Amino acid sequence: MPDIAKRFPQNPLLSPKDVTPSTEGLHIACLLNPGVFKFDGKIWLLVRVAERPLQNEIVVSFPILNEKGGTEIMEIPLNDADLIATDARVVRYKGVDYLTTLSHLRLFCSEDGVKFKEPEGYPKLFGTGMLQTFGIEDCRVTQMDDKYYLTFTAVSASGVGVGMRTTTDWKNFESFGMILPPHNKDCAIFEEKVNGMYYALHRPSSVDLGGNYIWLAQSPDGVHWGNHQCIIKTRPDNWDSARVGAGAAPIKTDKGWLAIYHGANIEHQYCLGVFLLDINDPYKVIAHATEPIMKPLEPYELSGFFGHVVFTNGHIVEPDGDTVTIYYGAADEFVCGAKFSLNEIFKVLGI
Ligand code: MAN
C-alpha cells in the first residue's frame, strides 16, 4: 500500500559521499536526521554526521571523544566472545554498550529547499564534556522570536539524555548541559508558549515497567521541566508496537497542535505517524491516527546503513498554509525530503 508522502524526485538530497569527514582517518557512514529551520532568508538543515574508521574483517572499530574533545579509536576483535554485534547501530562488549559511529551536527543551507550546501564560516557542533563522549544526535531546532533552541540526543557511557544549546546567529552558542537525564531522547520544544508556559515532547524509556512512550512536559523558562505526563504509547500488533518518539515541534493548526512522530515495530521498521493535541491544553490528545502517513518504500529507505527506516525531526510549513515539507533520514544513511498536505493528514486522523 502506498503512503501519503510526496517524496522529492531528487532524493536522496545528501549522501555520505557528498561530504568531507571531520577528522583524518574517519569516514562518513551516515548523514541523517536533520533539524530544520529558516534563517537569513534560507532553509537550513542541521544534519547528523555519523563517522567511524573504514571497517575491516578483523575488528570492529569506532571513535569515542575524550574529556578534552580529542578523538580516540576503540577496536574490538570480531571473534571476541564478549562482543555482541547484531545491530548496525550499537555493539555490546563485556556488558557495556557502545555506538558503532560517533555523530556530530553540521549545517547545510539552501535557497530552494532542494540543493543544499555547507555554508562557509559556520562551526560544526561536536559533543563536549563527559556526557557527550559518544556524540550528539538527531537535533530538533525550535525557533522562538530570534532565538533557536537546539535539543539533541547526548550519548555517553553514562546513558542517553537530552542536551540543549541555544543560539541567535549560529556562530555563538550557549550550552545548558543535559536538560533531561537518561534514558531520554526525541525532545521537541513547542515554538510558542501555551498559557505562559513552554511545552516539550520527550521520550523517556524504562527498562522495566513502562516503555518507549511520548511524554509532554511544561517549563517556566524552557530549561527546567516539570509536570511530566505520558500522552502517547506504543500500540500492540501495530506498526508502532515497539517504540514511539516525537519528530520536530508540533505544528500549530486551527484544529490543534499536529505532531508528526516516528514509531517502530519489533523488527525495527520505522514509519511516521501523526497525533493531534488540544490547542489550549496540549496534555489532551484529540486524535491519533491508526495508519502511518509514511513508511519505508523507496530503495534508499529500504537499504542503507540501517534499512527500513524513515525518521524525521525537522519540517517547514510552506506559505500556502497546507503544505508541510519534511526532511528525513532514510535508512539511517541519507537525507531526503517529502511533502504532505495538512488536509490529507487530517483525513488520516479522521477529522
Ligand atoms: C533510533 C535513533 C535514530 C535512528 C533510529 C533508526 O531512534 O538511533 O537516530 O534514526 O533509531 O535506526
Side-chain angles (χ1 to χ4, degrees):
M1 264 236 309
D3 57 28
I4 61 161
K6 298 167 194 94
R7 290 162 176 80
F8 287 17
Q10 298 90 343
N11 281 348
L13 305 181
L14 292 169
S15 304
K17 64 173 168 38
D18 304 331
V19 182
T20 316
S22 67
T23 310
E24 209 181 312
L26 295 184
H27 131 101
I28 297 177
C30 326
L31 282 186
L32 69 168
N33 304 359
V36 181
F37 58 96
K38 285 188 180 156
F39 173 67
D40 197 19
K42 299 188 192 85
I43 295 168
W44 294 63
L45 305 180
L46 185 58
V47 175
R48 171 178 164 197
V49 181
E51 301 177 303
R52 63 179 175 183
L54 271 177
Q55 300 296 293
N56 60 42
E57 282 163 16
I58 299 158
V59 294
V60 57
S61 59
F62 47 89
I64 295 180
L65 294 172
N66 62 30
E67 204 172 344
K68 296 198 179 91
T71 307
E72 292 167 9
I73 306 292
M74 178 138 174
E75 288 190 343
I76 307 166
L78 282 165
N79 62 5
D80 191 320
D82 288 325
L83 174 72
I84 303 172
T86 48
D87 186 319
R89 304 167 297 179
V90 283
V91 292
R92 175 165 272 241
Y93 184 58
K94 298 194 170 162
V96 180
D97 291 321
Y98 298 92
L99 299 182
T100 56
T101 57
L102 175 67
S103 292
H104 66 275
L105 305 173
R106 226 186 266 195
L107 289 164
F108 291 79
C109 65
S110 173
E111 304 277 350
D112 63 1
V114 176
K115 287 191 287 300
F116 284 89
K117 62 173 180 29
E118 282 186 69
E120 276 175 29
Y122 289 87
K124 301 177 177 69
L125 303 185
F126 292 94
T128 55
M130 286 311 282
L131 296 180
Q132 301 177 6
T133 50
F134 292 1
I136 54 176
E137 308 182 342
D138 303 350
C139 190
R140 279 75 177 167
V141 178
T142 288
Q143 183 178 4
M144 292 181 88
D145 302 322
D146 63 347
K147 192 184 261 191
Y148 296 87
Y149 294 76
L150 286 62
T151 49
F152 49 84
T153 309
V155 195
S156 74
S158 299
V160 177
V162 177
M164 185 168 90
R165 298 180 197 178
T166 61
T167 186
T168 52
D169 60 5
W170 292 94
K171 293 187 176 172
N172 300 286
F173 295 83
E174 186 176 358
S175 177
F176 293 83
M178 190 171 272
I179 57 164
L180 295 168
H183 190 101
N184 206 320
K185 49 165 56 173
D186 302 327
C187 175
I189 300 177
F190 286 42
E191 298 202 287
E192 258 179 54
K193 289 187 199 169
V194 183
N195 300 320
M197 295 292 270
Y198 291 84
Y199 278 79
L201 296 166
H202 65 107
R203 211 285 296 281
S205 300
S206 165
V207 287
D208 299 317
L209 280 173
N212 300 300
Y213 305 149
I214 298 174
W215 290 58
L216 184 65
Q218 265 180 347
S219 168
D221 58 7
V223 180
H224 304 91
W225 296 91
N227 195 11
H228 300 270
Q229 294 182 33
C230 180
I231 57 164
I232 294 285
K233 291 187 169 176
T234 50
R235 297 177 290 191
D237 305 321
N238 210 326
W239 59 273
D240 55 1
S241 61
R243 54 186 64 243
V244 289
I251 299 162
K252 190 178 192 186
T253 74
D254 55 8
K255 295 182 169 41
W257 296 101
L258 176 73
I260 300 177
Y261 73 99
H262 67 268
N265 60 18
I266 45 164
E267 267 125 34
H268 302 298
Q269 292 168 326
Y270 283 69
C271 299
L272 301 182
V274 279
F275 59 88
L276 192 68
L277 305 175
D278 186 271
I279 207 76
N280 295 312
D281 178 7
Y283 287 104
K284 269 193 214 147
V285 179
I286 303 174
H288 183 186
T290 314
E291 291 299 317
I293 57 165
M294 186 173 193
K295 45 197 175 185
L297 295 173
E298 294 294 330
Y300 50 81
E301 297 162 349
L302 294 170
S303 79
F305 184 81
F306 194 81
H308 294 270
V309 171
V310 290
F311 183 105
T312 189
N313 47 292
H315 54 239
I316 298 274
V317 181
E318 302 294 349
D320 68 9
D322 182 58
T323 307
V324 177
T325 302
I326 66 154
Y327 293 90
Y328 67 100
D332 278 359
E333 185 167 335
F334 310 107
V335 172
C336 295
K339 289 187 188 293
F340 291 93
S341 148
L342 282 177
N343 278 323
E344 285 177 27
I345 290 181
F346 288 132
K347 279 191 205 135
V348 178
L349 276 166
I351 49 171

